[in-house]
Amino acid sequence: MTPPDDRPRTTDALWRERRTTTAALVTLVVLVAFESFAVTTVMPRVADVLDGHALYAFAFAGPLATGVVGMVVAGSWSDRHGPFRPFLAGAVLFVVGLVVAGLAASMPVLVLGRLAQGLGGGAVNVTLIVTLARAYPPVLHPRAFAWFSAAWVLPSLVGPAVAGIVAETAGWRWVFLAVALLVVPTSLPLLRTLRPLGPPESGSDVSPAEARVRVLLAVVVAAAVLALNLAVELSAVPSAVLAAVAGVGALVAVRPLLPAGSLRARPGLPSVLATRLLVSGAFFGAQAYVPYLLAARDGWGPAASGLALTTAALAWSGMSAVQGRLGQRLLSRDAVRLGTVLVVAATVGAWLTAAAGLHPAVLVTTWTLAGAGMGLASSRLNVLLLGYSGPGTQGRNSSALSIADAVGAALALAVSGVLFALVSGASAAGEHGTGGGEEVVGTAGFAVAFGLTVVLSVLAALVAPRVGVPPTERHDEPASVDDDAASRA
């Protein structure tokens, strides 16, 4: 008699053996997700209290910039010595950054805390993936990633509302401090799992000299993004000059960290990275100003102004689930095309809301479209990346995708911050003696910031068709010349 197949039971047993580690990993992702939604929700109030409107975009772009450094350092560190030390260092920096931000008496000090938080967060994000790869057998990877995705759903539902309630009752500082207090006990079970994980047996395929160069390039990228934000403090002409130099410097430095041809949007894998950079810049560059506009122009409180973030996050999760069910019945290339078009529609709607004074419901509705577009585009860009990556390039290419994600958002936030400050300042200067200038100033600044994201989203939609069809999705469809070249890239 043939014994029954016990593979499902064995898989479940493997999963149960790691339930403590899984619970810690998922809880940490939940905290990171909550912090992301919560800070975006309360930052308008923080800027009011600390008189830091000029550094508003810096508070978002700075952590993204230093996060690039954390990703590169933690990646090389984990490959050579295992994930324990980089995770510990990253978690400590993340907590310290949250505490500094929560206790800040001025906006520059809060930004300093956010920089430390970004550096630590970038390291933690990389080591979480390394931990998953090292501590879980491949059969458990799909289940673990599904839990990672699900971990963003609850914060998207309650994060903005909870952050608004905390800000209105206990004070905005506890949005930062509460997360810091919760990260510490959450990390302790992970440390026990990470300590035995030494370097991989195969070793790192990146030489120490190359690793140092990559870290140096990441530092240059971060410095360039931070210089873009400092341009806000200068007068018009020096600000524009510094912004132009820093923007070019960031793109030059990030180029070697991405696959060849990414900044030229060559067909295939390079266009996957270019699309990710552009669409992330459009989405996150605009999202930072969505609750800001609702608070500054329409007088919405933190809880209400976070509504658009909640609906967008739900749409992101919902559309991501839909594309997952469709599988290969929907080509990734077509999903990315549709997703970027939806982001274009959303950024245009945000721009019209600010420029034409439309009802705030228009902004909430259109920003929900942005979430749906990102659910399609972001998910399938990940699929395309793996489709174009061989076994020896999956790690490096995945790192490149994270870098493109962060740099696109950081540059968009930095440039929009410069434009917002310049235009708002110029409008304010022209309003002396005319009366009723406060609303006009806000509208002008928001319109220009959203206008930049419209340009980025249109560029993403133009590049999206060049992502092609990887070998893993080719069945009966004849391969084009561009697709063949892309598969060899």
Side-chain angles (χ1 to χ4, degrees), residues 259-326:
S262 294
L263 297 186
R264 298 194 305 273
R266 281 173 45 192
L269 178 61
S271 284
V272 172
L273 276 294
T275 303
R276 186 59 163 262
L277 188 150
L278 290 167
V279 77
S280 293
F283 180 83
F284 292 106
Q287 179 164 267
Y289 289 93
V290 169
Y292 197 0
L293 176 62
L294 294 173
R297 190 196 69 174
D298 303 300
W300 289 22
S305 61
L307 175 63
L309 305 184
T310 299
T311 58
L314 288 175
W316 185 325
S317 300
M319 192 59 74
S320 179
V322 168
Q323 64 80 30
R325 288 183 175 275
L326 289 173

Side-chain angles (χ1 to χ4, degrees), residues 389-407:
S389 302
T393 62
Q394 290 172 345
R396 185 177 299 181
N397 287 343
S398 297
S399 174
L401 192 71
S402 298
I403 291 171
D405 209 16
V407 169

Side-chain angles (χ1 to χ4, degrees), residues 153-176:
V153 175
L154 182 61
S156 73
L157 285 170
V158 304
V162 170
I165 293 170
V166 170
E168 292 171 356
T169 54
W172 63 264
R173 298 182 184 278
W174 280 101
V175 172
F176 294 93

